[in-house]
mmCIF file of all heavy atoms in Angstrom:
data_model
loop_
_atom_site.group_PDB
_atom_site.id
_atom_site.type_symbol
_atom_site.label_atom_id
_atom_site.label_comp_id
_atom_site.label_asym_id
_atom_site.label_seq_id
_atom_site.Cartn_x
_atom_site.Cartn_y
_atom_site.Cartn_z
ATOM 1 N N PHE A 1 -179.121 -27.868 -57.416
ATOM 2 C CA PHE A 1 -180.279 -28.793 -57.125
ATOM 3 C C PHE A 1 -181.466 -27.889 -56.811
ATOM 4 O O PHE A 1 -181.623 -27.407 -55.708
ATOM 5 C CB PHE A 1 -179.920 -29.711 -55.974
ATOM 6 C CG PHE A 1 -180.893 -30.782 -55.758
ATOM 7 C CD1 PHE A 1 -181.272 -31.650 -56.815
ATOM 8 C CD2 PHE A 1 -181.445 -31.020 -54.497
ATOM 9 C CE1 PHE A 1 -182.213 -32.665 -56.626
ATOM 10 C CE2 PHE A 1 -182.356 -32.046 -54.312
ATOM 11 C CZ PHE A 1 -182.725 -32.894 -55.373
ATOM 12 N N ALA A 2 -182.351 -27.718 -57.809
ATOM 13 C CA ALA A 2 -183.492 -26.799 -57.670
ATOM 14 C C ALA A 2 -184.455 -27.183 -56.529
ATOM 15 O O ALA A 2 -184.944 -26.265 -55.847
ATOM 16 C CB ALA A 2 -184.242 -26.718 -58.995
ATOM 17 N N PRO A 3 -184.746 -28.501 -56.287
ATOM 18 C CA PRO A 3 -185.647 -28.797 -55.150
ATOM 19 C C PRO A 3 -185.049 -28.321 -53.779
ATOM 20 O O PRO A 3 -185.827 -27.973 -52.894
ATOM 21 C CB PRO A 3 -185.689 -30.357 -55.223
ATOM 22 C CG PRO A 3 -185.478 -30.670 -56.622
ATOM 23 C CD PRO A 3 -184.463 -29.658 -57.101
ATOM 24 N N ALA A 4 -183.756 -28.303 -53.633
ATOM 25 C CA ALA A 4 -183.161 -27.816 -52.362
ATOM 26 C C ALA A 4 -183.380 -26.296 -52.251
ATOM 27 O O ALA A 4 -183.697 -25.794 -51.164
ATOM 28 C CB ALA A 4 -181.672 -28.100 -52.358
ATOM 29 N N LEU A 5 -183.253 -25.570 -53.351
ATOM 30 C CA LEU A 5 -183.552 -24.122 -53.318
ATOM 31 C C LEU A 5 -185.002 -23.887 -52.944
ATOM 32 O O LEU A 5 -185.361 -22.974 -52.202
ATOM 33 C CB LEU A 5 -183.226 -23.474 -54.629
ATOM 34 C CG LEU A 5 -181.812 -23.548 -55.145
ATOM 35 C CD1 LEU A 5 -181.658 -22.700 -56.424
ATOM 36 C CD2 LEU A 5 -180.800 -23.083 -54.102
ATOM 37 N N ASN A 6 -185.875 -24.673 -53.510
ATOM 38 C CA ASN A 6 -187.321 -24.590 -53.200
ATOM 39 C C ASN A 6 -187.583 -24.853 -51.744
ATOM 40 O O ASN A 6 -188.408 -24.189 -51.098
ATOM 41 C CB ASN A 6 -188.114 -25.596 -54.044
ATOM 42 C CG ASN A 6 -189.595 -25.378 -53.972
ATOM 43 O OD1 ASN A 6 -190.091 -24.257 -54.069
ATOM 44 N ND2 ASN A 6 -190.314 -26.472 -53.719
ATOM 45 N N HIS A 7 -186.845 -25.752 -51.138
ATOM 46 C CA HIS A 7 -186.993 -26.038 -49.700
ATOM 47 C C HIS A 7 -186.544 -24.876 -48.840
ATOM 48 O O HIS A 7 -187.036 -24.720 -47.719
ATOM 49 C CB HIS A 7 -186.140 -27.302 -49.339
ATOM 50 C CG HIS A 7 -186.339 -27.776 -47.967
ATOM 51 N ND1 HIS A 7 -187.536 -28.340 -47.543
ATOM 52 C CD2 HIS A 7 -185.583 -27.703 -46.840
ATOM 53 C CE1 HIS A 7 -187.432 -28.675 -46.255
ATOM 54 N NE2 HIS A 7 -186.261 -28.317 -45.784
ATOM 55 N N ALA A 8 -185.699 -23.994 -49.433
ATOM 56 C CA ALA A 8 -185.230 -22.790 -48.707
ATOM 57 C C ALA A 8 -186.081 -21.570 -49.078
ATOM 58 O O ALA A 8 -185.681 -20.441 -48.768
ATOM 59 C CB ALA A 8 -183.758 -22.546 -49.027
ATOM 60 N N GLY A 9 -187.197 -21.781 -49.783
ATOM 61 C CA GLY A 9 -188.122 -20.723 -50.046
ATOM 62 C C GLY A 9 -187.993 -20.150 -51.459
ATOM 63 O O GLY A 9 -188.781 -19.241 -51.805
ATOM 64 N N LEU A 10 -187.033 -20.590 -52.241
ATOM 65 C CA LEU A 10 -186.865 -20.040 -53.566
ATOM 66 C C LEU A 10 -187.436 -20.971 -54.603
ATOM 67 O O LEU A 10 -186.747 -21.943 -55.030
ATOM 68 C CB LEU A 10 -185.354 -19.759 -53.819
ATOM 69 C CG LEU A 10 -184.968 -19.025 -55.106
ATOM 70 C CD1 LEU A 10 -185.687 -17.689 -55.166
ATOM 71 C CD2 LEU A 10 -183.507 -18.814 -55.229
ATOM 72 N N GLY A 11 -188.649 -20.712 -55.073
ATOM 73 C CA GLY A 11 -189.313 -21.582 -55.998
ATOM 74 C C GLY A 11 -188.682 -21.592 -57.392
ATOM 75 O O GLY A 11 -188.072 -20.569 -57.816
ATOM 76 N N PRO A 12 -188.787 -22.707 -58.170
ATOM 77 C CA PRO A 12 -188.156 -22.782 -59.469
ATOM 78 C C PRO A 12 -188.739 -21.778 -60.480
ATOM 79 O O PRO A 12 -188.043 -21.385 -61.467
ATOM 80 C CB PRO A 12 -188.463 -24.222 -59.916
ATOM 81 C CG PRO A 12 -189.623 -24.625 -59.110
ATOM 82 C CD PRO A 12 -189.503 -23.924 -57.833
ATOM 83 N N ASP A 13 -189.948 -21.309 -60.253
ATOM 84 C CA ASP A 13 -190.551 -20.346 -61.181
ATOM 85 C C ASP A 13 -189.977 -18.935 -61.017
ATOM 86 O O ASP A 13 -190.212 -18.054 -61.876
ATOM 87 C CB ASP A 13 -192.075 -20.299 -60.972
ATOM 88 C CG ASP A 13 -192.489 -19.911 -59.511
ATOM 89 O OD1 ASP A 13 -191.714 -20.328 -58.626
ATOM 90 O OD2 ASP A 13 -193.467 -19.232 -59.327
ATOM 91 N N ARG A 14 -189.183 -18.748 -60.008
ATOM 92 C CA ARG A 14 -188.595 -17.396 -59.786
ATOM 93 C C ARG A 14 -187.128 -17.328 -60.220
ATOM 94 O O ARG A 14 -186.555 -16.230 -60.261
ATOM 95 C CB ARG A 14 -188.655 -17.067 -58.296
ATOM 96 C CG ARG A 14 -190.084 -16.865 -57.738
ATOM 97 C CD ARG A 14 -189.982 -16.340 -56.318
ATOM 98 N NE ARG A 14 -189.149 -15.112 -56.258
ATOM 99 C CZ ARG A 14 -188.560 -14.700 -55.153
ATOM 100 N NH1 ARG A 14 -188.723 -15.321 -54.022
ATOM 101 N NH2 ARG A 14 -187.804 -13.574 -55.168
ATOM 102 N N VAL A 15 -186.526 -18.446 -60.568
ATOM 103 C CA VAL A 15 -185.056 -18.457 -60.826
ATOM 104 C C VAL A 15 -184.777 -18.502 -62.339
ATOM 105 O O VAL A 15 -185.342 -19.334 -63.065
ATOM 106 C CB VAL A 15 -184.410 -19.668 -60.081
ATOM 107 C CG1 VAL A 15 -182.864 -19.641 -60.307
ATOM 108 C CG2 VAL A 15 -184.741 -19.690 -58.634
ATOM 109 N N ILE A 16 -183.926 -17.601 -62.757
ATOM 110 C CA ILE A 16 -183.384 -17.599 -64.135
ATOM 111 C C ILE A 16 -181.925 -18.046 -64.067
ATOM 112 O O ILE A 16 -181.100 -17.414 -63.417
ATOM 113 C CB ILE A 16 -183.454 -16.199 -64.793
ATOM 114 C CG1 ILE A 16 -184.880 -15.667 -64.743
ATOM 115 C CG2 ILE A 16 -182.922 -16.228 -66.198
ATOM 116 C CD1 ILE A 16 -184.973 -14.198 -65.069
ATOM 117 N N TYR A 17 -181.628 -19.191 -64.632
ATOM 118 C CA TYR A 17 -180.257 -19.773 -64.607
ATOM 119 C C TYR A 17 -179.473 -19.353 -65.799
ATOM 120 O O TYR A 17 -179.922 -19.357 -66.926
ATOM 121 C CB TYR A 17 -180.348 -21.291 -64.550
ATOM 122 C CG TYR A 17 -181.082 -21.829 -63.372
ATOM 123 C CD1 TYR A 17 -182.364 -22.306 -63.472
ATOM 124 C CD2 TYR A 17 -180.481 -21.895 -62.108
ATOM 125 C CE1 TYR A 17 -183.121 -22.822 -62.405
ATOM 126 C CE2 TYR A 17 -181.178 -22.364 -61.012
ATOM 127 C CZ TYR A 17 -182.481 -22.849 -61.155
ATOM 128 O OH TYR A 17 -183.156 -23.338 -60.058
ATOM 129 N N VAL A 18 -178.232 -18.919 -65.537
ATOM 130 C CA VAL A 18 -177.290 -18.558 -66.603
ATOM 131 C C VAL A 18 -176.028 -19.387 -66.420
ATOM 132 O O VAL A 18 -175.390 -19.348 -65.360
ATOM 133 C CB VAL A 18 -176.936 -17.055 -66.543
ATOM 134 C CG1 VAL A 18 -175.861 -16.747 -67.543
ATOM 135 C CG2 VAL A 18 -178.140 -16.217 -66.828
ATOM 136 N N GLU A 19 -175.712 -20.213 -67.382
ATOM 137 C CA GLU A 19 -174.521 -21.022 -67.366
ATOM 138 C C GLU A 19 -173.488 -20.418 -68.230
ATOM 139 O O GLU A 19 -173.603 -20.378 -69.475
ATOM 140 C CB GLU A 19 -174.821 -22.473 -67.781
ATOM 141 C CG GLU A 19 -173.598 -23.376 -67.697
ATOM 142 C CD GLU A 19 -173.875 -24.827 -68.068
ATOM 143 O OE1 GLU A 19 -175.076 -25.195 -68.248
ATOM 144 O OE2 GLU A 19 -172.971 -25.611 -68.234
ATOM 145 N N ALA A 20 -172.391 -19.914 -67.627
ATOM 146 C CA ALA A 20 -171.311 -19.267 -68.365
ATOM 147 C C ALA A 20 -170.210 -20.274 -68.669
ATOM 148 O O ALA A 20 -170.030 -21.254 -67.908
ATOM 149 C CB ALA A 20 -170.788 -18.074 -67.556
ATOM 150 N N GLY A 21 -169.450 -20.015 -69.711
ATOM 151 C CA GLY A 21 -168.401 -20.914 -70.080
ATOM 152 C C GLY A 21 -167.184 -20.882 -69.264
ATOM 153 O O GLY A 21 -166.452 -21.883 -69.141
ATOM 154 N N ASP A 22 -166.875 -19.705 -68.670
ATOM 155 C CA ASP A 22 -165.649 -19.545 -67.864
ATOM 156 C C ASP A 22 -165.870 -18.438 -66.827
ATOM 157 O O ASP A 22 -166.941 -17.769 -66.820
ATOM 158 C CB ASP A 22 -164.430 -19.307 -68.724
ATOM 159 C CG ASP A 22 -164.623 -18.106 -69.673
ATOM 160 O OD1 ASP A 22 -165.299 -17.109 -69.260
ATOM 161 O OD2 ASP A 22 -164.082 -18.184 -70.788
ATOM 162 N N GLU A 23 -164.869 -18.208 -65.982
ATOM 163 C CA GLU A 23 -164.975 -17.205 -64.919
ATOM 164 C C GLU A 23 -165.139 -15.773 -65.447
ATOM 165 O O GLU A 23 -165.857 -14.998 -64.883
ATOM 166 C CB GLU A 23 -163.772 -17.308 -64.001
ATOM 167 C CG GLU A 23 -163.749 -18.515 -63.068
ATOM 168 C CD GLU A 23 -164.774 -18.379 -61.958
ATOM 169 O OE1 GLU A 23 -165.011 -17.248 -61.485
ATOM 170 O OE2 GLU A 23 -165.312 -19.418 -61.514
ATOM 171 N N LYS A 24 -164.493 -15.501 -66.584
ATOM 172 C CA LYS A 24 -164.576 -14.149 -67.153
ATOM 173 C C LYS A 24 -166.005 -13.888 -67.601
ATOM 174 O O LYS A 24 -166.587 -12.812 -67.336
ATOM 175 C CB LYS A 24 -163.599 -14.023 -68.302
ATOM 176 C CG LYS A 24 -163.602 -12.621 -68.944
ATOM 177 C CD LYS A 24 -162.584 -12.531 -70.095
ATOM 178 C CE LYS A 24 -162.631 -11.161 -70.715
ATOM 179 N NZ LYS A 24 -161.569 -11.010 -71.799
ATOM 180 N N ALA A 25 -166.612 -14.836 -68.334
ATOM 181 C CA ALA A 25 -167.992 -14.713 -68.757
ATOM 182 C C ALA A 25 -168.960 -14.642 -67.572
ATOM 183 O O ALA A 25 -169.941 -13.955 -67.594
ATOM 184 C CB ALA A 25 -168.360 -15.805 -69.742
ATOM 185 N N LEU A 26 -168.596 -15.412 -66.544
ATOM 186 C CA LEU A 26 -169.425 -15.466 -65.334
ATOM 187 C C LEU A 26 -169.533 -14.088 -64.686
ATOM 188 O O LEU A 26 -170.604 -13.590 -64.291
ATOM 189 C CB LEU A 26 -168.870 -16.493 -64.371
ATOM 190 C CG LEU A 26 -169.671 -16.785 -63.136
ATOM 191 C CD1 LEU A 26 -170.896 -17.606 -63.499
ATOM 192 C CD2 LEU A 26 -168.836 -17.540 -62.120
ATOM 193 N N MET A 27 -168.366 -13.424 -64.558
ATOM 194 C CA MET A 27 -168.346 -12.103 -63.963
ATOM 195 C C MET A 27 -169.101 -11.095 -64.788
ATOM 196 O O MET A 27 -169.733 -10.175 -64.249
ATOM 197 C CB MET A 27 -166.879 -11.626 -63.740
ATOM 198 C CG MET A 27 -166.124 -12.332 -62.587
ATOM 199 S SD MET A 27 -166.791 -11.976 -60.955
ATOM 200 C CE MET A 27 -167.633 -13.539 -60.646
ATOM 201 N N ALA A 28 -169.041 -11.233 -66.108
ATOM 202 C CA ALA A 28 -169.787 -10.342 -66.954
ATOM 203 C C ALA A 28 -171.270 -10.464 -66.789
ATOM 204 O O ALA A 28 -172.007 -9.478 -66.706
ATOM 205 C CB ALA A 28 -169.378 -10.558 -68.440
ATOM 206 N N CYS A 29 -171.704 -11.710 -66.664
ATOM 207 C CA CYS A 29 -173.125 -12.000 -66.408
ATOM 208 C C CYS A 29 -173.560 -11.450 -65.057
ATOM 209 O O CYS A 29 -174.674 -10.901 -64.918
ATOM 210 C CB CYS A 29 -173.380 -13.513 -66.503
ATOM 211 S SG CYS A 29 -173.173 -14.200 -68.144
ATOM 212 N N PHE A 30 -172.731 -11.661 -64.086
ATOM 213 C CA PHE A 30 -173.013 -11.174 -62.720
ATOM 214 C C PHE A 30 -173.195 -9.625 -62.740
ATOM 215 O O PHE A 30 -174.178 -9.093 -62.192
ATOM 216 C CB PHE A 30 -171.853 -11.580 -61.802
ATOM 217 C CG PHE A 30 -172.117 -11.470 -60.316
ATOM 218 C CD1 PHE A 30 -173.348 -11.089 -59.815
ATOM 219 C CD2 PHE A 30 -171.121 -11.767 -59.411
ATOM 220 C CE1 PHE A 30 -173.587 -10.996 -58.463
ATOM 221 C CE2 PHE A 30 -171.337 -11.658 -58.007
ATOM 222 C CZ PHE A 30 -172.567 -11.275 -57.549
ATOM 223 N N GLU A 31 -172.261 -8.956 -63.314
ATOM 224 C CA GLU A 31 -172.315 -7.504 -63.351
ATOM 225 C C GLU A 31 -173.531 -6.983 -64.144
ATOM 226 O O GLU A 31 -174.199 -6.072 -63.715
ATOM 227 C CB GLU A 31 -171.012 -6.920 -63.957
ATOM 228 C CG GLU A 31 -170.973 -5.376 -63.954
ATOM 229 C CD GLU A 31 -169.678 -4.876 -64.536
ATOM 230 O OE1 GLU A 31 -168.666 -5.667 -64.623
ATOM 231 O OE2 GLU A 31 -169.622 -3.650 -64.851
ATOM 232 N N GLU A 32 -173.742 -7.607 -65.286
ATOM 233 C CA GLU A 32 -174.885 -7.205 -66.110
ATOM 234 C C GLU A 32 -176.245 -7.388 -65.379
ATOM 235 O O GLU A 32 -177.113 -6.588 -65.462
ATOM 236 C CB GLU A 32 -174.922 -7.923 -67.434
ATOM 237 C CG GLU A 32 -175.917 -7.458 -68.458
ATOM 238 C CD GLU A 32 -175.662 -6.047 -68.914
ATOM 239 O OE1 GLU A 32 -174.532 -5.576 -68.847
ATOM 240 O OE2 GLU A 32 -176.612 -5.356 -69.298
ATOM 241 N N GLY A 33 -176.315 -8.543 -64.637
ATOM 242 C CA GLY A 33 -177.516 -8.771 -63.878
ATOM 243 C C GLY A 33 -177.706 -7.723 -62.830
ATOM 244 O O GLY A 33 -178.850 -7.294 -62.577
ATOM 245 N N LEU A 34 -176.649 -7.357 -62.139
ATOM 246 C CA LEU A 34 -176.772 -6.331 -61.083
ATOM 247 C C LEU A 34 -177.155 -4.967 -61.599
ATOM 248 O O LEU A 34 -177.809 -4.178 -60.903
ATOM 249 C CB LEU A 34 -175.411 -6.236 -60.297
ATOM 250 C CG LEU A 34 -175.119 -7.402 -59.372
ATOM 251 C CD1 LEU A 34 -173.730 -7.216 -58.793
ATOM 252 C CD2 LEU A 34 -176.142 -7.437 -58.228
ATOM 253 N N ARG A 35 -176.814 -4.676 -62.817
ATOM 254 C CA ARG A 35 -177.139 -3.394 -63.423
ATOM 255 C C ARG A 35 -178.611 -3.342 -63.835
ATOM 256 O O ARG A 35 -179.190 -2.272 -64.069
ATOM 257 C CB ARG A 35 -176.285 -3.067 -64.635
ATOM 258 C CG ARG A 35 -174.784 -2.885 -64.270
ATOM 259 C CD ARG A 35 -173.995 -2.331 -65.426
ATOM 260 N NE ARG A 35 -172.588 -2.267 -65.081
ATOM 261 C CZ ARG A 35 -172.029 -1.298 -64.331
ATOM 262 N NH1 ARG A 35 -172.785 -0.377 -63.829
ATOM 263 N NH2 ARG A 35 -170.729 -1.319 -64.077
ATOM 264 N N HIS A 36 -179.259 -4.492 -63.922
ATOM 265 C CA HIS A 36 -180.673 -4.556 -64.323
ATOM 266 C C HIS A 36 -181.519 -4.351 -63.060
ATOM 267 O O HIS A 36 -181.426 -5.051 -62.104
ATOM 268 C CB HIS A 36 -180.955 -5.911 -64.992
ATOM 269 C CG HIS A 36 -182.382 -6.016 -65.454
ATOM 270 N ND1 HIS A 36 -182.845 -5.327 -66.493
ATOM 271 C CD2 HIS A 36 -183.405 -6.769 -64.997
ATOM 272 C CE1 HIS A 36 -184.133 -5.633 -66.714
ATOM 273 N NE2 HIS A 36 -184.499 -6.499 -65.784
ATOM 274 N N GLY A 37 -182.395 -3.387 -63.048
ATOM 275 C CA GLY A 37 -183.135 -2.994 -61.909
ATOM 276 C C GLY A 37 -184.363 -3.826 -61.595
ATOM 277 O O GLY A 37 -185.033 -3.646 -60.581
ATOM 278 N N GLY A 38 -184.726 -4.812 -62.445
ATOM 279 C CA GLY A 38 -185.972 -5.546 -62.241
ATOM 280 C C GLY A 38 -185.802 -6.862 -61.595
ATOM 281 O O GLY A 38 -186.726 -7.690 -61.636
ATOM 282 N N LEU A 39 -184.708 -7.140 -60.868
ATOM 283 C CA LEU A 39 -184.483 -8.393 -60.214
ATOM 284 C C LEU A 39 -184.571 -8.255 -58.683
ATOM 285 O O LEU A 39 -184.204 -7.223 -58.144
ATOM 286 C CB LEU A 39 -183.099 -8.947 -60.639
ATOM 287 C CG LEU A 39 -182.880 -9.231 -62.125
ATOM 288 C CD1 LEU A 39 -181.416 -9.544 -62.386
ATOM 289 C CD2 LEU A 39 -183.736 -10.427 -62.527
ATOM 290 N N ALA A 40 -184.908 -9.350 -58.037
ATOM 291 C CA ALA A 40 -184.864 -9.383 -56.592
ATOM 292 C C ALA A 40 -183.416 -9.459 -56.131
ATOM 293 O O ALA A 40 -183.075 -8.874 -55.127
ATOM 294 C CB ALA A 40 -185.632 -10.595 -56.068
#
């Protein structure tokens, strides 16, 4: 629920959502995101 995140200070313009098909793909996205140095 994006409005709830906004209420906690995280605006929708700052969030990039990735929807993975399963847990294996989810972990791959998580790891790849952490290896990218340009994210908060």
